[in-house]
Amino acid sequence: MKPTIANDPTGLDPVDEIIAYHDRTKHHPERYARGPGGLDWSTQPNPFRRFDGAPMLRLPLAQRDDTPAAAILFGAGAAPPRPFTLEALGLFFELSLGLSARKEVSGMSWYLRVNPSSGNLHPTEGYAVLPALEWLPGGGGVYHYAPREHGLEQRARRSGDGRVYADGFWVGLTSIPWREAWKYGERAFRYCQHDVGHAVAALRYAAAALGWRVSLAPEWTEAQLARLLGVDRGEDFTGAERETPELLVRVRVNDLVGTAATPAADEPVEWFGRANALSPSHAEWPVIDAAIAVSERRAVIAEQPAARAVWPRPAPPPCTGSAGQLIRQRRSAVDFDGLTSMTRETFLAILDTTLPRGSAPPFDAWPFPPRLHLVLFVHRVTGLEPGLYLWLRAAADEEALRQAFHGVSTWEVPAHLDPTVPLRRLGRGDLREFARALSCQQDIAADGAFSLGMLARFEPVLRACGAGAWRELFWEAGMIGQSLYLAAEAAGVRGTGIGCFFDEGLHRALGLTGHDWQSLYHFTVGNPVEDQRLRTAPPYEPLPRTGYLAPG
Ligand SMILES: Cc1cc2nc3c(=O)[nH]c(=O)nc-3n(C[C@H](O)[C@H](O)[C@H](O)COP(=O)(O)O)c2cc1C
């Protein structure tokens, strides 16, 4: 029987179903979304998927940092494209989905990665679909990226190897929802989608450091993607957690050659390897299974593209280091000092990186119109009164938001601000307690310079584009989060994604009713306080790195 979410079993419209999932996975102060009620450490999922029996190509680790200045990550120019070599491919994965550090405390240790993840559980898996290249010993095919080994496990050899994707390659992302559900229960599928968005932006930023380009390929349905990546091969996942196909991006390594040949999902291939089991047993979360099924992208329904506002040239946050350094140093703040202010210029430069520009990462990879805006709680920004603000990422939505915010009577451009800057003041006041309470009582929402909620145009998008667009909204939120993480690092401060928040608390404060607008993700930025008990070690052993290892 098809799993359903809504209590009313007649309501089987996928859009109704995904809205029902969205509603039932809201946290409320008096009732959190249904979770496991405690952590079962005996089933803690392995954060590293491997395919036993698949040949592994170890990628080289960068020996020195020769990446360009970090400002190129924010649209200030572009690096000359690197030739497509094994070293360049290694750097691309190192700077997107690779490990960034090993943390140690009292005999325990864990890895951090370039891409963040809710609870550091890392549900996102990455695959490269590579053409035949002379430095690729296994030939063209499908490769799973193994971050701990910094290697590519060859899942498939494509027999149509004469087919060369002349200008680059493809990266597919999948989710293993169980990794998140183990800790977060029903709300976990939201976090999987945030993490996919972070990973897409991480891919785009890594490509920018190499002078490459990335674009999302929305024409792929999930069934085609599952086929291409081999995650529909039940026989290779016996006893192992299945992967949900999410999206495919195209990576262009040079602009000289014409359009890329699209890999064909139905090309005959030879498959290798069997997925490892990540936990010895699992709790069932049928509501997540249903959410996966109803939000499957079966076809792409084109939305009337919103008129893309032409934003002024980007104003990157002041930063001195290299792109590689900035990408590797990204961390989540676990605590802020509750004291330090930032200047209005820094604040605006950080927000500026979230604007969708056709010429700046990460949103030059994004094929959809911008659908999310930032509701800001400004605590400590010199030259800006504390209070409630709105950062409009699509100017065309201003009037609709103004009409929808029944609880807001002020709508003004802050004094002495360039009128082209899309910041509006909605109210003055000390919002530290409100922000803390809204973010499940987390101090990080109050103790930084500012925090925010990301508000998405919601039901109208789902009705126009189908239930699959629910995932896209979360991907966009994750991409905004990744741009905030990097912009904060560039400005000498630090950010943290906040997945635990009370959805309706923000809606009520703004006077929003219904599902036209929904808050999808929160974020905070400030001056971090390090946890002195933790030791930080490099993530990779200095091993002889490259080589093609046959299985066994
Ligand atoms: C979608 C998402 C939600 C998150 N939610 C929270 C949160 O509610 N509270 C928090 O302290 N950290 C949160 N984080 C930060 C993660 O805990 C952090 O990314 C993870 O521990 C890995 O650490 P790193 O970001 O330093 O690599 C979130 C991160 C993501 C990507």
Side-chain angles (χ1 to χ4, degrees):
M1 199 177 84
K2 183 172 170 283
T4 62
I5 303 164
N7 289 333
D8 171 9
T10 56
L12 292 181
D13 171 46
V15 171
D16 292 339
E17 291 274 289
I18 201 65
I19 292 176
Y21 170 76
H22 191 80
D23 280 346
R24 75 178 277 158
T25 56
K26 285 176 177 168
H27 284 329
H28 304 271
E30 67 289 355
R31 176 172 47 84
Y32 279 56
R34 189 170 301 162
L39 293 184
D40 175 3
W41 292 104
S42 70
T43 60
Q44 183 183 17
N46 179 347
F48 297 109
R49 164 126 292 166
R50 290 295 311 273
F51 286 90
D52 302 330
M56 156 86 82
L57 172 69
R58 296 291 284 263
L59 294 169
L61 287 162
Q63 297 301 312
R64 60 193 173 88
D65 181 9
D66 55 1
T67 55
I72 61 121
L73 301 177
F74 307 110
R82 292 226 192 180
F84 193 23
T85 60
L86 185 64
E87 284 69 29
L89 186 66
L91 186 59
F92 174 73
F93 276 108
E94 196 183 336
L95 294 183
S96 54
L97 304 178
L99 304 180
S100 56
R102 201 176 78 234
K103 289 282 178 184
E104 298 171 351
V105 67
S106 335
M108 289 186 308
S109 75
W110 62 95
Y111 290 102
L112 297 181
R113 303 191 197 185
V114 164
N115 57 318
S117 168
S118 185
N120 202 25
L121 295 161
H122 287 286
T124 314
E125 296 292 328
Y127 291 82
V129 183
L130 293 166
L133 298 155
E134 73 259 21
W135 44 263
L136 200 57
V142 179
Y143 291 79
H144 169 249
Y145 178 63
R148 194 172 42 184
E149 292 74 16
H150 188 49
L152 289 173
E153 296 179 292
Q154 186 164 18
R155 280 283 288 138
R157 181 181 296 128
R158 304 171 70 86
S159 59
D161 271 352
R163 173 190 292 275
V164 173
Y165 320 133
D167 63 356
F169 60 103
W170 302 74
V171 176
L173 297 179
T174 67
S175 294
I176 305 180
W178 162 246
R179 285 212 183 102
E180 288 285 328
W182 169 75
K183 182 169 181 188
Y184 296 115
E186 290 189 354
R187 195 169 161 97
F189 193 51
R190 292 175 170 222
Y191 298 150
C192 293
Q193 303 309 314
H194 289 124
D195 282 14
V196 168
H198 279 283
V200 171
L203 291 165
R204 176 63 192 109
Y205 284 124
L210 287 137
W212 296 353
R213 296 179 68 85
V214 162
S215 54
L216 203 139
E219 64 275 16
W220 282 73
T221 67
E222 274 175 53
Q224 290 170 322
L225 192 53
R227 187 108 197 263
L228 176 73
L229 303 179
V231 297
D232 64 345
R233 292 175 54 79
E235 64 273 38
D236 296 347
F237 288 82
T238 312
E241 298 75 5
R242 296 302 291 266
E243 299 182 20
T244 301
E246 300 285 7
L247 55 80
L248 190 70
V249 302
R250 172 176 157 201
V251 185
R252 284 174 75 115
V253 299
N254 68 65
D255 289 327
L256 302 176
V257 196
T259 49
T262 304
D266 51 1
E267 208 178 354
V269 291
E270 186 187 353
W271 291 92
F272 311 103
R274 280 171 166 266
N276 60 346
L278 306 174
S279 298
S281 63
H282 309 93
E284 297 293 325
W285 294 102
V287 162
I288 292 188
D289 299 337
I292 292 171
V294 297
S295 64
E296 182 185 330
R297 197 173 52 258
R298 294 187 167 83
V300 179
I301 302 166
E303 190 187 26
Q304 234 10 57
R308 268 201 188 230
V310 182
W311 301 109
R313 277 176 59 78
C319 47
T320 49
S322 71
Q325 195 182 327
L326 193 78
I327 288 172
R328 287 191 176 91
Q329 77 177 48
R330 185 213 60 79
R331 299 280 183 282
S332 293
V334 290
D335 198 6
F336 294 121
D337 66 9
L339 295 169
T340 310
S341 298
M342 73 172 51
T343 64
R344 193 171 83 160
E345 289 66 39
T346 303
F347 170 75
L348 293 175
I350 292 173
L351 295 180
D352 186 75
T353 65
T354 70
L355 293 180
R357 290 186 170 95
S359 58
F363 293 101
D364 58 356
W366 185 243
F368 307 110
R371 294 147 170 171
L372 276 77
H373 304 276
L374 311 183
V375 177
L376 295 150
F377 317 116
V378 171
H379 307 316
R380 297 173 189 86
V381 177
T382 52
L384 212 54
E385 284 174 78
L388 186 68
Y389 291 77
L390 177 70
W391 183 254
L392 278 159
R393 294 181 61 254
D397 282 342
E398 179 160 10
E399 200 41 46
L401 284 162
R402 206 172 169 159
Q403 297 292 328
F405 286 8
H406 297 294
V408 169
S409 51
T410 309
W411 199 279
E412 56 196 15
V413 177
H416 313 299
L417 194 74
D418 174 345
T420 61
V421 175
L423 185 70
R424 303 289 176 266
R425 180 168 42 227
L426 310 185
R428 294 182 172 85
D430 179 350
L431 295 178
R432 287 176 296 176
E433 276 318 308
F434 174 68
R436 187 198 325 271
L438 199 60
S439 296
C440 303
Q441 300 294 343
Q442 297 184 82
D443 292 340
I444 49 171
D447 292 344
F450 68 97
S451 60
L452 60 91
M454 299 181 200
L455 198 63
R457 195 154 62 87
F458 190 75
E459 188 169 349
V461 172
L462 302 184
R463 297 279 170 217
C465 306
W470 179 85
R471 297 194 202 179
E472 290 161 19
L473 294 175
F474 278 87
W475 298 344
E476 188 178 342
M479 291 178 75
I480 295 171
Q482 193 68 6
S483 62
L484 290 169
Y485 265 120
L486 287 194
E489 295 288 340
V493 286
R494 187 148 277 178
T496 302
I498 299 183
C500 189
F501 58 87
F502 301 129
D503 309 50
E504 295 299 349
L506 183 61
H507 302 160
R508 259 196 309 274
L510 297 171
L512 291 169
T513 53
H515 289 97
D516 281 2
W517 299 94
Q518 292 282 296
S519 167
L520 302 189
Y521 190 21
H522 283 218
F523 205 89
T524 183
V525 176
N527 195 43
V529 177
E530 300 297 333
D531 184 340
Q532 297 299 336
R533 294 165 304 172
L534 295 186
R535 207 180 86 81
T536 305
Y540 294 108
E541 302 291 336
L543 288 173
R545 292 298 319 171
T546 53
Y548 184 65
L549 308 179

